[in-house]
Amino acid sequence: MTRRARVRDIAAEAGVSIATVSRVLNDHVNVAPRTRELVLQAMARSRTDAPRGRRTVHVRCPYVLTDYFGLIVSSIAETLRLHNVRMVLDAGVSSQRSDVLTTLPDEPDVDAAILILPPEDGDRLVALARRGFPFVVVDPRTAPPPDVASVSAAHLAGARALTAHLVELGHRDIGVIAGPLDWLAGDARTAGHHAALAQAGVLPAPHRVHHVEPTAAEGVRAAADLLDEPDRPTAIVCFNDKLAVGALRAAHDRGLRVPEDLSVAGFDDIDLSRATRPALTTVRQPLQEMGRIAVTQLMRVLDGHRPEALHLELSTTLVVRDSTGPAPA
């Protein structure tokens, strides 16, 4: 029996809509207690009566599997294997053009999905949830809807800790190479940066914030703009480690020493951050743990239990290396 059939049968047995079953699965508060109990009882009978075959989870990562996304996907694959669950991987930039969210519930051999940084807006995710199809979002691009389970890192806290580190070193004029506009992670990291400056009594300067795509090439360009100002900043914090590598290159091209003349910091703590000279100060995201917890949450839903929490934020860790130092006099 497929997952789609089970949801439909549970809805029919409980006398409710598929959307109501979905709300119960996702622990939505807008369900009457009696209705919730009817659905939970029907789900319990379904688990007892229905034969269970081996499950299949569709994992969608519409990006190149670099050391960032690759760590998440590998962790998901290993954890699914521990649960004896098959994985169907849909990866690569070309996947961004597919209409997979519409077709997933109609796949007869797919029971659920894990969506990594989905490019679709929240309305598309809500529409998928209302069809009774279980899924979890990892590293959401926009704020996840209330009914949609998600796992992400504590971006704001990580960025605040990073900028507070620079403030302690005496930096007050700090440039920011932020990610694309309207990315949840980018907005949260910029807010964390500004919060640390505010704590030090410094007003953020809008002209010091540059929003770019998170690539090394864009890091070179954005850092060049900041460093070619007559009153260049004494430090630059970047949305990710790749942008920070670009900032290091721009500093080198201008004969600036890091960290003596300029401090540079990244975010993510991918392998690249340890290969630069000097090694990057950065913020470590728990990428593998994000993958493991996404699978755990999904298994709970498939087994008819409520998620432990709908929106989980995992703590980040400041990693201080050689690319940050005291502000130049």
Side-chain angles (χ1 to χ4, degrees):
M1 183 182 294
T2 66
R3 172 68 186 180
R4 189 180 68 235
R6 287 199 297 272
V7 171
R8 185 186 301 118
D9 293 343
I10 290 168
E13 183 172 347
V16 300
S17 67
I18 290 176
T20 297
V21 174
S22 175
R23 285 194 289 271
V24 173
L25 284 171
N26 289 302
D27 200 24
H28 192 270
V29 295
N30 191 25
V31 179
R34 176 58 180 163
T35 302
R36 186 185 301 277
E37 185 61 28
L38 289 172
V39 172
L40 292 176
Q41 290 174 1
M43 289 167 61
R45 288 192 294 272
S46 173
R47 292 197 299 276
T48 301
D49 299 338
R52 176 176 295 175
R54 190 180 181 194
R55 290 163 169 162
T56 298
V57 170
H58 181 109
V59 177
R60 183 181 186 229
C61 182
Y63 310 93
V64 177
L65 296 184
T66 58
D67 44 3
Y68 179 92
F69 293 112
L71 284 173
I72 298 174
V73 171
S74 296
S75 177
I76 290 171
E78 292 167 0
T79 311
L80 287 173
R81 190 176 300 114
L82 292 175
H83 287 274
N84 193 31
V85 175
R86 284 187 295 258
M87 182 178 85
V88 175
L89 177 61
D90 177 16
V93 177
S94 62
S95 176
Q96 295 183 15
R97 297 188 293 272
S98 67
D99 195 21
V100 68
L101 297 195
T102 301
T103 60
L104 266 177
D106 299 319
E107 294 289 337
D109 299 324
V110 174
D111 297 283
I114 296 175
L115 309 176
I116 303 171
L117 194 64
E120 292 83 7
D121 59 28
D123 290 342
R124 299 286 304 282
L125 299 176
V126 169
L128 179 60
R130 285 177 176 169
R131 295 183 67 180
F133 185 80
F135 65 95
V136 174
V137 175
V138 178
D139 198 14
R141 183 190 295 262
T142 59
D147 295 351
V148 173
S150 68
V151 181
S152 63
H155 300 290
L156 189 150
R160 183 169 54 200
L162 178 61
T163 300
H165 160 69
L166 291 170
V167 168
E168 289 174 1
L169 291 171
H171 296 276
R172 296 296 184 271
D173 189 355
I174 302 174
V176 181
I177 305 180
L181 286 167
D182 302 324
W183 274 31
L184 180 63
D187 292 345
R189 293 176 195 178
T190 302
H193 165 72
H194 288 166
L197 286 180
Q199 184 70 28
V202 178
L203 290 176
H207 72 284
R208 291 299 200 206
V209 181
H210 290 238
H211 291 274
V212 299
E213 292 297 317
T215 67
E218 287 297 300
V220 172
R221 185 187 64 78
D225 290 342
L226 288 167
L227 297 177
D228 288 342
E229 291 287 333
D231 56 340
R232 67 169 184 261
T234 63
I236 296 177
V237 295
C238 301
F239 172 77
N240 67 2
D241 293 337
K242 291 182 179 180
L243 285 169
V245 167
L248 289 176
R249 174 61 185 273
H252 179 269
D253 290 346
R254 284 155 181 77
L256 298 175
R257 299 168 301 161
V258 175
E260 292 84 358
D261 301 319
L262 176 75
S263 287
V264 176
F267 205 107
D268 292 341
D269 193 33
I270 60 177
D271 288 345
L272 186 64
S273 66
R274 293 179 287 279
T276 61
R277 291 293 179 270
L280 270 175
T281 291
T282 186
V283 174
R284 180 176 299 143
Q285 285 203 71
L287 301 176
Q288 292 171 301
E289 188 177 357
M290 286 162 60
R292 288 193 293 268
I293 289 181
V295 173
T296 300
Q297 291 288 80
L298 194 61
M299 290 301 103
R300 286 185 60 84
V301 174
L302 284 173
D303 288 337
H305 303 297
R306 300 176 183 178
E308 294 177 353
L310 275 178
H311 301 156
L312 290 173
E313 276 196 0
L314 307 185
S315 60
T316 53
T317 305
L318 175 65
V319 180
V320 178
R321 297 197 179 101
D322 299 331
S323 67
T324 52

